[in-house]
Amino acid sequence: MGIARDDTEGRRIAVLRNWEFFCAPLAGIVCMHCDLHYVDSVGVGMFVQTFLLALTARGLGTCVQVSIAGYPEIVREQLNIPQEYAILSGLAIGYPDPTFPANNLRTERNPIDHNVVFHDA
């Protein structure tokens, strides 16, 4: 985004954009009932991925914001989310701005064999 690594103030301001949901016209909070076990978060993750892929197929951009989960009491108070729901992440949803530098960031991925072990049956 054109922010130097040593620009502490610039980085702080960039992080604060999370709390504005990057000016997206629609924001969401992903929650999971506290009675569910941590393994149920796998199902929630699959739902979120499918939801994001469906939005992308319709030309929308999304940003999953895990930083929101770091301040659950503030989010809970502002949005009246009951205590029995764990706050997992936020979602910013809108049409991407292709001129915004962060929207053109591409990171390298490990080759699949670095993350998965295949066994012959």
Side-chain angles (χ1 to χ4, degrees):
M1 293 189 305
I3 302 169
R5 287 210 176 270
D6 61 347
D7 183 354
T8 306
E9 181 62 10
R11 289 184 172 278
R12 185 186 72 77
I13 291 168
V15 167
L16 289 175
R17 289 178 47 93
N18 276 283
W19 298 101
E20 298 172 338
F21 289 85
F22 303 101
C23 298
L26 181 63
I29 304 295
V30 178
C31 300
M32 185 174 83
H33 198 279
C34 290
D35 286 348
L36 297 174
H37 200 261
Y38 73 92
V39 297
D40 295 303
S41 62
V42 173
V44 174
M46 287 187 284
F47 167 81
V48 170
Q49 178 180 358
T50 302
F51 182 56
L52 299 180
L53 289 170
L55 292 169
T56 301
R58 287 162 176 79
L60 290 159
T62 59
C63 180
V64 177
Q65 297 171 257
V66 179
S67 61
I68 301 299
Y71 302 90
E73 294 312 314
I74 294 169
V75 175
R76 196 179 305 288
E77 178 185 328
Q78 292 297 310
L79 299 176
N80 199 27
I81 297 173
Q83 286 290 330
E84 61 263 19
Y85 289 97
I87 296 168
L88 303 180
S89 71
L91 294 175
I93 303 167
Y95 292 99
D97 175 0
T99 65
F100 185 67
N103 288 338
N104 296 305
L105 177 67
R106 300 295 176 257
T107 58
E108 290 185 32
R109 301 289 189 233
N110 287 338
I112 194 166
D113 61 350
H114 286 174
N115 298 314
V116 178
V117 176
F118 295 97
H119 296 277
D120 291 329

